[in-house]
Amino acid sequence: MPTVVMMDVSLSMTRPVVVESSEEFQRKNLAIHGLTMLFEHMATNYRLEFTALLAFSSLWELMVPFTRDYNTLQEALNNLEDYDKTCLEAALQGVSNVVQQEWGSGCPCQVVLVTDGSLGIGRGSLRHSLQTIKQRGEDKKFPLPFLFPSKLYVMCIASAEELQYGDALENLEQLLNLNGGEGQIFTMEGPLCLKNVQSMFGKLIDQAYSPFHAVLRCGNLSSDVQVFPRPEPIQLDEEVDPTPRTILTELEIVGFIEIGDISSPPVLSRHLVLPIAVNKDVDELGTGAPDEMEEDSSSTQMAGKSPNFCVLLHGSLKVEGMVALVQLGPDWFGILYSQADSKKKSNLMMSLLEPGSEPLPWLGKISQLGPTSDAAENPYGEDDSKSPFPLQPKNKRSYAQNVTVWIKPSGLQTDVQKILRNARKLPEKTQTFYKELNRLRKAALAFGFWELLKGVADLLERECTLLPDTAHPDAAFQLSHAAQQLKLASTGDSQYAAFQHNITPMLTDFSGGAGDRDRL
Amino acid sequence: MKMFSASHKTAFVVDHCHYMAESCRQQVEFDMLTKNRAQGVIPLAPVSKSLWTCAVECSMEYCRILYDIYPTRKLVNYIVSDSDCHILNSWNQVDQNTQELMARLAVVGPPNPSEDPECCSILHGLVAAVGSLCKLTEYQHEARTTLMDQAERVNNRGRIICLTNAKSDTHVRMLEDYVQETILEQNKIAAASDRLMQIQQCELVLIHTYPFGEETLVSDRPRKEISSVLSSEVHSVRAGRHLASKLNVLVQQHFDLASTTITNIPMKPTLNVCDQEEQHANTSANYDVELLHHRDAHMEFIKSGDLHPTGSTPRDSGLKETVTLKWCTPRTNSVELHFCTGAYRISPVDVNSRPSSCLTNFLLNGRSVLLEQPRKSGSKVISHMLSSHGGEIFLHVLNCTRSTLEDPPSISEGCGGRVTDYRITDFGEFMRENRLTPFPEAQGADGAGKVPLERAKGQLERHTRYWPMIISQTTIFNMQAVVPLANLIVKESLSEEDVLTCQKTVYNLVDMERKNDPLPISTVGTRGKGPKRDEQYRIMWNELETLVRTHVGSSERHQRVLDCVLACRSKPPEEEERKKRGRKREDREDKAEKNGKDSEAERSWQESERLKAALEREKDDLPESEVIKDSPDSPEPLNKKPRLEMEELQLPEKAKGPVSLFTMWTNRINAANSRKHQEFAGRINSVNNKAELYQHLKDENGMDSHENGKATR
C-alpha cells in the first residue's frame, strides 16, 4: 500500500513554537522531526513500502516520486523551502493524479497530510473548497473521495484546542467524511515540542505502519512470517455483516491444489510472505554454545542457514506448479504460491480470496474439500492424468445448452433452415431432423407461437410435394408425419401440445426393422 | 451490490389477457430462399408474433442473461395473469432456470381470445407478485437464522416487472395505486407472521407494450417515489425488437451489468455446413461478439475516464455503451497464474449467433483468450482474459498497472535461504499426497462427523509429525527401503496388511544391517569420513523409532509397528541402560515444555532424540578421536560447524546423572588435547588439578585453565 506524504510548506508552518528550552523551533521543524521518525521506522520495519513526498502551498510539487529509498526522502525533507499560503484542494488533486499515474485506480494508498491546521483563507482555502463542493461541474470535481481506495491521515502540528478555535478541525473532519471516513486526524497532545510530536507520529506508526507478523503452519511444520503489505480488514456487506473481517495471525495450510485447477482466481490483494527470525528461534540455536553466539557475525546470517519451512514450501510449490490453500479466518481462504519477479528472483506470495464459503465456483465449497485419500478412487488418476476440478455447475449456462432465441429474425430463420436442410437429406438425417424439429416445437409452445408451428407444417408439406422422383420413399412418409404432428401441436390440444412430448420418427417398412413392427 | 438489494427478488408479471393475443405486426420471413432450390416456388407467407409471444420471449431473454451471470442469489418469480394468476415457479433455487420456466409457459399457452374480458386483469398478477415478495427466499431464511437476534438486518426488497398493454396514463396510475395499497395490506399480514417479511422497498417497472404502427396511449415516465415503500417507472415500447432491446437495457440497469465487445475474432473460412445457409456469412472476416457481465469488470476504465473515447461505441439502443477489447490469439495452453483482480460471469447478447457460439465453444473447450485494451496512445495493454471453468465462462480482469510488490527480496536472501539441501522433491510428493478434492455435501457428514476440510487438516498434521526439512537431517527418508513403512505409518488407521508391510520393512532393515549394507548417512557437516557403519545403523534405527513413536497413539496397530521396531533394533545392554536414563531426562524436559505449545514439545523431543543419537555416536568416536583435526587453539570458523552442535559432545566418563553441555565439552577438549602434547610438569604435580604457576612472582595467579583453549575464552 504505497504512501504519499503531503507536506504543508506554507509560510504559517514557519511560525515559531514557544518552548522553554533554549532552542527555538518552527512548526516545520517539528513536522520534519515527526516525518523523519516515520521514515526511519519504515526504512527498518516497512522497507518495501513505496513512499512519495509532495510539498504544497498554493502550488504543489512532487519532491520525490514513489521510492523505497528513504535516504532520498529524508534528504528532500531536509531541503524543503518555505512558500506562500495553503491551498489543500489543488494538492489533493495532485495526490490523486500522482497516485493514479503510478498505480492506477485499484491500488489502495495511504495519504499522510502534515499541516499546522491553518488551511488558508479566501479562494483556495479548504473552507472555500468545502463550501462550493456542490456547485461544481464534472470537470472540476473535488478530488475526494479519491478514485483509488485510500486512508487519509491528517497530522496536525497543532493542539486540538488550537484547531477548535477556528473551524479547522471541523473542516478536516468534513474532509475525512468525504473520503468515506477512511483515515484519522491526529493532533498534538500537550505543548508543541519534540516529545509530543514523536508521540503523535508514534500513534500513526502503530495505526498504519505496524508490520503484520503471523505464523504459517502446515500441520506440525511452521515458520514465523511477516506479511507485506499488511492485510487490511475488509467489509463484506454492510447490512448483513457490518463488522470488518481481519485475517488471523495463525495462517494454517489446509491442502494443496494444482495451478491449472485453481486457474487464475480473482483475488482481493496480494502479499509477500517473508520468513522472519524470531528471537526465540535464535535462542534455541544458541542454547548449546552461548559463547559462540557472540562470535557469530550477525544473527541474520545465522537465520539464513537454519532451515526454514517457507523456503522448503516455496521451492516445492515452484517445482510442482502448485498452490497451497491457506485458511485466513472463519470461511476465509487464500492461496500461497511461488511468484517470480525475474528469472532469478522468486518469492512466496499469498493472495487473499473473497471471504465466504465458496470463493471460487470451480472449487465448490471449500469446507467440502477433503484429502484425496478419503476418496474411493484417486480423483487425480493413478498417473496424475485426471483432475476433480473444475466442478460443473448444476445448471448449464445458456451458451452451453443450445437455447432457442428468436428475438432476431435470423435466429428463427436459422432454426427453420436447419430443419429444412435435414428434411432434404431424409432418411439419412432422420435423427437430426426430428431433434431440430422438436427443439423448434418446444420453443414455439413455450412462447405461445402456434402460428409458427402451422407455418413449418405447411413448409414440410410443400417440401413433400417438391421431393424429386429419386427421393427415398421414406422421406415423404416422415415429412407428412412431422407436418401432421406439428399441426396437432398447434391446436393446443393437451395430448399433442405437451411440452415434454417429443415427435418421434414414424415407423415405416423402410425405416424400422420387421421386429419393431411386430411389437407394434 | 448488497446481498438483499431490490435485485435479490424479481417478480415478473406478464399479462395473459385476450388483448395480448393481438399480433405485434412485425412479420418474420421463415421460408427463406436458399441455394439449390427449385425455381418458381412461391415462398410461404411470413408469420407474426403475438404481443404475448413477444412479452414471453423478451422476459425469458431477461432471465437467460440473469441466470447466466447470477446463477444463484438473484431470483425470479414468474407470474402470468388473466382471469386468475398463475405462479409458474417459486423463489427456490431449484426453480431458477429457463428450461423449467419454458415448460410451464408451454402449459399456459397463448392467451385465449374467447375468454370473458370482464374477469381478465393484470391486477391478479400484481397482487400475487406483492404476495410473493413477502415470502422468504432460502437465502433470506438462512441469513435470518444465522443472524438470530439480529435478524432485522436482513432486508426485504424487491422488484416487480409488469409486462402489460395498458389503456391510458390513468390506467397506469390506477395500477400503481393498487400495488401501493396491496403492499400496505400484505405488510400488515406479514408483520403478524413468522414466515413472511414486510416489504421494505419495492420497485415497480411497468412496461406498456403495443403493436407496431399504433400510437401509444401511455407515456414514458422515469422513476418516481410513490411512497416510502414503492417507487414506480413506466416504459412505453412497441412489441418485438423494441421490447427486446428495452428489456436488455433494463437487465443491465437492474443488475449492474456492462457490455464488452470482443473484436477481431478470427474465424476460419472452413466452417461446417451451417455457414452455407448463413445469410450474411462473410467467413473470411474477423468477427465481433458482444458480451454482458458485471460492470465492475470495467472499473479501471470507468475510473480512469477511458470509457468514452476510442474504446467504446454507442450501441443500437443509444442508451448503453460497450467497451471494445481486441482478441489476442492464444499461445500454447501454458498453465500460468495471472494476477487477476476480478472474474465475472458473462452472457453473450446474441447467444445463438454464429460468432457468439464459435467464441463460447472455443472457450468451453478449455482455451483461454487474452484481451487487449486499445489505448489512445496506441500502446497495447492486456487488460482482460476470457476463460471457462467447468462450463462457465468468466471475464477475468488482469492487473495492468505497476505492482507495489515489484523487486521483492528473493526467498534465498531471507531466513533459511542459504540452506541448500531442502527436501524439495519429497515435499513436492507430500503436497501431491495432500491435494484436495471435492466431496459431495451429504458424504461430508459421515466419517467421524468431520467436514472434509477438517479431515484434510488432520491428515496434514499426521503427515508432518516427523518431517525433517533437509536431507542432511534425515537418514530414513533417504532410504528407498523405508518408503513402504513411512507411507503407511502416517495413515489414520492401519489394516492388518499394512502392519505386515511395516513389519516386513523392518525385517528388511535388519537384513541390511546384518549384511552391513551402506546407509545414505549425510556427511555434510561432519568431519572425516563420518560415523562408522554400526553407528550409522544406530542413527537410522533411532530415527525410525522417532517416526513410528509419533504415531503410536493413533491405534493399537501403530503400537505393534513400534513394538516390532523396538524388538528388531540392536542395542547393546549398557546402551539400554543409558537409554533409560536418557528417557528420564527427556521426560523431565517434556514436562518443562508442556507449558508451551504441543509442537514445541514435539520439537524438543526430536531435539533430545537427536541428542541421544549424538551421545551414542560420541561414545564410539571417543577412543579414535579422529574427529578433531584442528588444533585446539585455532578459531573455529562457524561455516564449517556441523549442523548438529551436539555431535561434538562428549559423554563424560561414568556419568552419574545429567551433565551440562559445557562440562561435556570441556572434558572432551581436555581429553583430546591431553593426547597431543606432553603434560605440563606443573599439572602433573598439581594438587586437585591446581598448580601454582610463576610461583616466584607471587602476584599473578588464576591462569590455570589457560590451556583449556576456547572453552573458557
Side-chain angles (χ1 to χ4, degrees):
Chain A
M1 199 148 60
T3 295
V4 186
V5 174
M6 292 172 73
M7 175 73 177
D8 187 343
V9 288
S10 67
L11 216 50
S12 63
M13 286 292 280
T14 63
R15 281 182 292 162
V17 177
V18 192
V19 198
E20 280 163 24
S21 71
S22 55
E23 247 185 303
E24 189 178 284
F25 286 115
Q26 295 176 357
R27 285 173 198 249
K28 185 177 134 186
N29 301 130
L30 291 181
I32 290 172
H33 182 73
L35 283 174
T36 304
M37 177 178 158
L38 176 65
F39 289 160
E40 275 170 5
H41 169 83
M42 285 160 108
T44 45
N45 300 304
Y46 225 70
R47 62 178 188 278
L48 293 176
E49 176 89 342
F50 279 101
T51 302
L53 178 64
L54 181 144
F56 73 98
S57 56
S58 63
L59 301 171
W60 62 271
E61 186 184 351
L62 184 63
M63 305 304 289
V64 184
F66 286 99
T67 180
R68 284 172 178 157
D69 181 356
Y70 284 93
N71 291 333
T72 315
L73 285 162
Q74 187 61 49
E75 205 172 303
L77 190 64
N78 294 338
N79 294 326
L80 286 177
E81 289 176 34
D82 306 320
Y83 296 89
D84 58 344
K85 61 174 189 171
T86 310
C87 176
L88 201 52
E89 181 174 345
L92 289 169
Q93 188 61 54
V95 170
S96 180
N97 295 346
V98 166
V99 170
Q100 285 205 75
Q101 256 171 35
E102 196 76 48
W103 311 106
S105 53
C107 176
C109 275
Q110 323 210 60
V111 180
V112 179
L113 166 62
V114 186
T115 177
D116 59 346
S118 32
L119 302 161
I121 41 161
R123 277 181 73 86
S125 69
L126 182 61
R127 187 188 303 118
H128 182 260
S129 292
L130 294 172
Q131 275 164 358
T132 57
I133 201 155
K134 292 214 175 98
Q135 309 146 21
R136 293 154 186 258
E138 272 296 301
D139 50 333
K140 278 205 156 178
K141 266 171 60 179
F142 192 70
L144 289 184
F146 288 121
L147 291 172
F148 46 89
S150 64
K151 289 223 163 74
L152 177 63
Y153 297 107
V154 186
M155 311 303 292
C156 295
I157 312 295
S159 64
E161 301 77 52
E162 201 180 338
L163 292 168
Q164 263 154 1
Y165 188 67
D167 56 359
L169 198 59
E170 203 179 301
N171 285 334
L172 288 172
E173 273 163 6
Q174 207 180 331
L175 201 64
L176 217 59
N177 286 338
L178 275 174
N179 204 37
E182 292 290 340
Q184 198 176 330
I185 299 170
F186 294 89
T187 55
M188 302 266 289
E189 278 165 29
L192 302 187
C193 64
L194 291 177
K195 190 168 139 265
N196 289 333
V197 87
Q198 273 176 12
S199 94
M200 178 170 75
F201 274 85
K203 279 181 204 154
L204 171 72
I205 288 169
D206 287 346
Q207 171 92 8
Y209 297 99
S210 55
F212 184 90
H213 289 169
V215 180
L216 178 66
R217 278 190 199 292
C218 175
N220 294 305
L221 299 168
S222 72
S223 168
D224 290 294
V225 294
Q226 180 183 356
V227 178
F228 182 90
R230 203 171 75 166
E232 298 295 327
I234 66 148
Q235 196 169 29
L236 292 173
D237 182 328
E238 69 268 34
E239 273 182 12
V240 184
D241 192 7
T243 38
R245 312 268 298 253
T246 46
I247 82 168
L248 298 173
T249 50
E250 186 97 343
L251 306 170
E252 190 180 5
I253 290 175
V254 296
F256 302 87
I257 298 176
E258 308 270 350
I259 281 187
D261 288 340
I262 197 99
S263 96
S264 298
V267 301
L268 294 173
S269 55
R270 294 191 310 168
H271 307 266
L272 285 169
V273 177
L274 307 162
I276 47 169
V278 169
N279 286 336
K280 72 164 196 245
D281 275 9
V282 177
D283 287 348
E284 262 172 41
L285 280 169
T287 39
D291 290 13
E292 277 166 279
M293 276 302 289
E294 289 156 31
E295 282 176 281
D296 191 15
S297 55
S298 74
S299 61
T300 49
Q301 206 182 338
M302 190 81 168
K305 277 184 245 119
S306 66
N308 188 294
F309 171 60
C310 280
V311 186
L312 172 68
L313 175 70
H314 169 267
S316 299
L317 289 175
K318 187 175 181 176
V319 171
E320 298 288 332
M322 289 173 102
V323 304
L325 197 64
V326 59
Q327 181 147 22
L328 310 171
D331 264 350
W332 195 9
F333 297 87
I335 53 171
L336 286 165
Y337 51 94
S338 160
Q339 169 77 27
D341 190 53
S342 60
K343 270 181 188 154
K344 276 186 182 167
K345 281 188 170 183
S346 62
N347 215 316
L348 190 62
M349 188 84 95
M350 178 166 74
S351 288
L352 311 191
L353 300 174
E354 188 87 33
S357 57
E358 200 184 331
L360 302 174
W362 51 94
L363 295 190
K365 272 200 178 142
I366 301 285
S367 60
Q368 290 305 120
L369 297 179
T372 316
S373 56
D374 277 7
E377 198 183 321
N378 187 352
Y380 288 93
E382 292 311 318
D383 51 352
D384 253 3
S385 56
K386 294 190 291 183
S387 169
F389 302 109
L391 287 190
Q392 298 291 326
K394 285 196 190 87
N395 293 312
K396 280 186 172 181
R397 304 283 89 90
S398 69
Y399 45 80
Q401 59 173 338
N402 198 13
V403 291
T404 316
V405 179
W406 291 334
I407 284 172
K408 287 192 177 168
S410 60
L412 193 148
Q413 285 154 0
T414 311
D415 286 347
V416 171
Q417 268 156 32
K418 266 185 212 159
I419 295 173
L420 265 189
R421 201 178 55 246
N422 287 300
R424 290 186 195 138
K425 288 177 189 158
L426 286 171
E428 292 82 27
K429 292 280 183 182
T430 307
Q431 290 309 320
T432 345
F433 170 75
Y434 279 100
K435 193 184 131 216
E436 290 297 333
L437 191 74
N438 280 313
R439 193 165 81 90
L440 177 122
R441 177 183 168 279
K442 276 198 162 69
L445 287 171
F447 296 151
F449 199 3
W450 292 355
E451 206 186 331
L452 180 70
L453 295 177
K454 288 190 203 106
V456 175
D458 291 344
L459 198 65
L460 295 180
E461 276 175 354
R462 190 192 63 200
E463 282 303 312
C464 196
T465 62
L466 291 176
L467 283 172
D469 298 341
T470 55
H472 193 283
D474 196 28
F477 281 105
Q478 297 298 351
L479 283 176
S480 49
H481 166 69
Q484 193 203 358
Q485 290 290 315
L486 285 185
K487 281 218 167 113
L488 284 169
S490 75
T491 59
D493 185 321
S494 58
Q495 194 192 335
Y496 300 101
F499 186 75
Q500 298 306 339
H501 176 78
N502 275 323
I503 303 176
T504 48
M506 188 187 195
L507 290 173
T508 61
D509 287 345
F510 316 103
S511 57
D516 281 345
R517 205 177 35 196
D518 285 350
R519 248 183 272 137
L520 285 171
Chain B
M1 209 191 296
K2 287 177 199 135
M3 170 74 202
F4 298 116
S5 68
S7 305
H8 179 55
K9 291 158 119 175
T10 304
F12 258 105
V13 181
V14 184
D15 201 335
H16 191 247
C17 296
H18 56 94
Y19 44 80
M20 292 297 280
E22 200 183 331
S23 161
C24 74
R25 293 187 215 147
Q26 289 176 75
Q27 297 184 325
V28 188
E29 294 282 355
F30 70 100
D31 186 13
M32 304 297 290
L33 292 169
T34 49
K35 288 180 236 165
N36 56 38
R37 143 132 315 189
Q39 293 295 310
V41 176
I42 304 155
L44 293 169
V47 288
S48 165
K49 295 170 187 169
S50 63
L51 290 182
W52 164 257
T53 299
C54 292
V56 167
E57 69 176 5
C58 293
S59 57
M60 289 317 287
E61 180 69 359
Y62 182 105
C63 295
R64 177 187 72 79
I65 292 169
L66 169 59
Y67 291 144
D68 272 355
I69 296 173
Y70 297 98
T72 59
R73 293 187 175 85
K74 304 284 175 232
L75 310 169
V76 171
N77 192 208
Y78 205 98
I79 298 163
V80 170
S81 181
D82 45 39
S83 58
D84 199 358
C85 66
H86 310 273
I87 302 177
L88 300 192
N89 67 343
S90 72
W91 295 124
N92 291 347
Q93 190 63 61
V94 285
D95 276 357
Q96 302 296 316
N97 62 76
T98 48
Q99 297 99 303
E100 281 295 310
L101 285 174
M102 295 273 273
R104 290 176 195 177
L105 280 166
V107 175
V108 171
N112 182 359
S114 57
E115 205 166 15
D116 180 7
E118 285 303 310
C119 15
C120 266
S121 170
I122 187 73
L123 293 176
H124 301 299
L126 288 172
V127 173
V130 173
S132 277
L133 289 183
C134 287
K135 286 181 191 151
L136 288 166
T137 66
E138 293 161 319
Y139 299 101
Q140 287 176 318
H141 178 73
E142 196 195 321
R144 272 163 55 118
T145 322
T146 335
L147 287 173
M148 298 287 281
D149 48 329
Q150 291 162 319
E152 72 281 354
R153 282 213 206 120
V154 179
N155 281 304
N156 190 32
R157 308 188 183 103
R159 183 178 289 126
I160 300 174
I161 302 176
C162 177
L163 284 160
T164 183
N165 179 276
K167 288 171 189 68
S168 62
D169 284 346
T170 337
H171 183 208
V172 165
R173 208 139 312 130
M174 186 274 280
L175 294 177
E176 288 172 343
D177 291 345
Y178 195 78
V179 171
Q180 167 67 22
E181 276 170 38
T182 315
I183 291 176
L184 294 179
E185 241 168 69
Q186 297 275 357
N187 271 356
K188 271 184 207 147
I189 300 170
S193 163
D194 272 355
R195 298 200 172 166
L196 298 175
M197 278 178 92
Q198 295 199 346
I199 299 172
Q200 280 144 328
Q201 196 197 332
C202 176
E203 291 176 17
L204 178 62
V205 182
L206 274 168
I207 302 169
H208 164 69
T209 176
Y210 55 97
F212 200 79
E214 261 184 28
E215 285 297 310
T216 177
L217 303 167
V218 174
S219 36
D220 270 7
R221 204 198 55 215
R223 190 164 153 187
K224 175 180 102 172
E225 304 290 326
I226 306 261
S227 71
S228 59
V229 188
L230 181 68
S231 67
S232 163
E233 61 190 86
V234 183
H235 303 273
S236 181
V237 276
R238 280 169 290 186
R241 62 189 166 91
H242 302 278
L243 182 62
S245 59
K246 171 58 77 181
L247 278 166
N248 186 281
V249 169
L250 287 177
V251 74
Q252 295 189 46
Q253 281 173 6
H254 293 163
F255 294 96
D256 292 340
L257 306 185
S259 153
T260 295
T261 301
I262 317 298
T263 186
N264 256 355
I265 305 173
M267 260 163 63
K268 284 179 192 138
T270 51
L271 286 172
N272 61 25
V273 272
C274 295
D275 74 319
Q276 287 170 12
E277 91 245 75
E278 193 76 22
Q279 298 311 303
H280 35 265
N282 180 10
T283 50
S284 57
N286 286 340
Y287 279 95
D288 289 4
V289 172
E290 187 184 349
L291 306 173
L292 293 179
H293 49 78
H294 195 278
R295 66 159 172 242
D296 279 356
H298 288 167
M299 200 46 93
E300 190 69 23
F301 303 126
I302 297 168
K303 281 182 172 170
S304 62
D306 263 2
L307 193 59
H308 301 285
T310 53
S312 66
T313 47
R315 271 221 315 271
D316 310 348
S317 64
L319 285 167
K320 279 272 166 184
E321 288 175 325
T322 181
V323 168
T324 306
L325 295 174
K326 201 167 149 248
W327 162 289
C328 298
T329 304
R331 290 165 290 159
T332 48
N333 248 350
S334 64
V335 183
E336 210 177 328
L337 204 59
H338 293 275
F339 178 22
C340 159
T341 54
Y344 305 94
R345 289 188 175 86
I346 60 104
S347 184
V349 172
D350 239 346
V351 65
N352 48 11
S353 76
R354 267 208 68 75
S356 289
S357 55
C358 271
L359 174 66
T360 51
N361 286 334
F362 180 85
L363 294 165
L364 290 172
N365 284 333
R367 311 286 298 273
S368 297
V369 178
L370 293 171
L371 301 173
E372 185 187 302
Q373 172 198 350
R375 284 220 167 152
K376 279 172 278 184
S377 57
S379 61
K380 291 176 178 177
V381 178
I382 303 284
S383 60
H384 292 77
M385 177 177 77
L386 276 171
S387 183
S388 82
H389 310 286
E392 284 189 289
I393 300 173
F394 290 80
L395 180 62
H396 289 249
V397 183
L398 304 180
N399 181 64
C400 47
T401 52
R402 185 178 166 195
S403 162
T404 54
L405 295 177
E406 69 182 31
D407 197 23
S410 173
I411 190 118
S412 58
E413 293 160 21
C415 292
R418 304 269 297 283
V419 179
T420 50
D421 64 338
Y422 284 106
R423 294 170 59 205
I424 300 282
T425 321
D426 289 351
F427 198 72
E429 185 59 38
F430 166 88
M431 294 196 310
R432 272 202 302 278
E433 275 162 22
N434 285 285
R435 272 184 296 195
L436 296 168
T437 193
F439 288 89
E441 298 231 13
Q443 202 186 320
D446 65 4
K450 272 187 173 177
V451 292
L453 195 70
E454 290 304 317
R455 295 188 46 77
K457 288 183 196 169
Q459 179 169 310
L460 283 174
E461 190 279 323
R462 285 198 311 279
H463 283 210
T464 53
R465 283 191 196 160
Y466 178 71
W467 214 98
M469 288 197 281
I470 53 175
I471 294 166
S472 54
Q473 243 173 22
T474 180
T475 307
I476 54 169
F477 292 111
N478 299 332
M479 292 167 63
Q480 200 55 40
V482 183
V483 170
L485 183 143
N487 284 345
L488 287 171
I489 199 75
V490 294
K491 280 170 68 174
E492 201 174 18
S493 59
L494 297 178
S495 64
E496 274 305 319
E497 202 185 329
D498 292 340
V499 176
L500 217 63
T501 315
C502 290
Q503 287 169 343
K504 267 188 209 154
T505 309
V506 176
Y507 300 150
N508 188 19
L509 293 174
V510 174
D511 214 33
M512 282 171 68
E513 187 171 15
R514 202 173 44 236
K515 282 190 271 174
N516 222 6
D517 285 349
L519 287 183
I521 293 262
S522 167
T523 50
V524 178
T526 44
R527 279 170 259 178
K529 45 184 207 250
K532 281 175 32 175
R533 190 61 49 82
D534 59 339
E535 173 53 22
Q536 290 181 357
Y537 272 92
R538 228 183 309 280
I539 294 170
M540 187 277 290
W541 283 116
N542 276 337
E543 201 185 0
L544 189 68
E545 190 185 326
T546 305
L547 169 71
V548 176
R549 212 173 265 285
T550 56
H551 293 278
V552 81
S554 301
S555 74
E556 178 265 336
R557 284 180 178 144
H558 286 87
Q559 176 67 49
R560 274 166 54 199
V561 177
L562 178 67
D563 294 345
C564 172
V565 173
L566 292 178
C568 292
R569 65 170 302 178
S570 51
K571 264 181 270 180
E574 83 267 29
E575 194 181 329
E576 287 281 16
E577 176 74 12
R578 189 160 354 100
K579 262 255 133 69
K580 262 184 225 148
R581 230 183 300 123
R583 196 146 306 135
K584 247 184 242 157
R585 189 170 54 219
E586 257 164 49
D587 288 348
R588 215 168 310 132
E589 279 171 27
D590 270 355
K591 258 173 225 153
E593 295 277 358
K594 275 279 147 59
N595 302 331
K597 284 177 188 157
D598 281 2
S599 62
E600 263 165 355
E602 193 74 47
R603 202 186 312 164
S604 87
W605 190 78
Q606 287 172 17
E607 209 80 334
S608 56
E609 197 65 20
R610 233 165 45 193
L611 171 77
K612 211 175 3 168
L615 289 176
E616 282 158 13
R617 198 180 321 155
E618 283 310 316
K619 187 191 147 258
D620 288 28
D621 283 348
L622 193 58
E624 292 157 71
S625 89
E626 60 181 37
V627 186
I628 304 289
K629 289 265 164 69
D630 293 340
S631 103
D633 284 329
S634 69
E636 283 237 359
L638 193 96
N639 290 357
K640 282 194 201 155
K641 282 289 290 174
R643 194 161 306 287
L644 307 177
E645 324 262 337
M646 294 79 166
E647 280 174 18
E648 301 261 316
L649 297 182
Q650 185 199 18
L651 196 77
E653 58 274 69
K654 304 269 187 270
K656 289 167 195 83
V659 183
S660 81
L661 291 176
F662 177 70
T663 320
M664 289 192 246
W665 176 259
T666 316
N667 289 335
R668 180 208 171 100
I669 293 294
N670 285 347
N673 289 350
S674 64
R675 255 172 276 121
K676 292 190 178 156
H677 58 79
Q678 218 177 6
E679 193 54 285
F680 283 112
R683 189 176 282 150
I684 294 167
N685 302 326
S686 68
V687 183
N688 267 348
N689 208 20
K690 263 186 187 172
E692 206 175 345
L693 296 176
Y694 310 108
Q695 290 173 1
H696 58 289
L697 288 173
K698 293 286 179 200
D699 53 349
E700 274 186 54
N701 53 21
M703 302 288 282
D704 52 296
S705 57
H706 179 79
E707 292 88 347
N708 284 350
K710 66 181 173 180
T712 51
R713 243 192 282 150

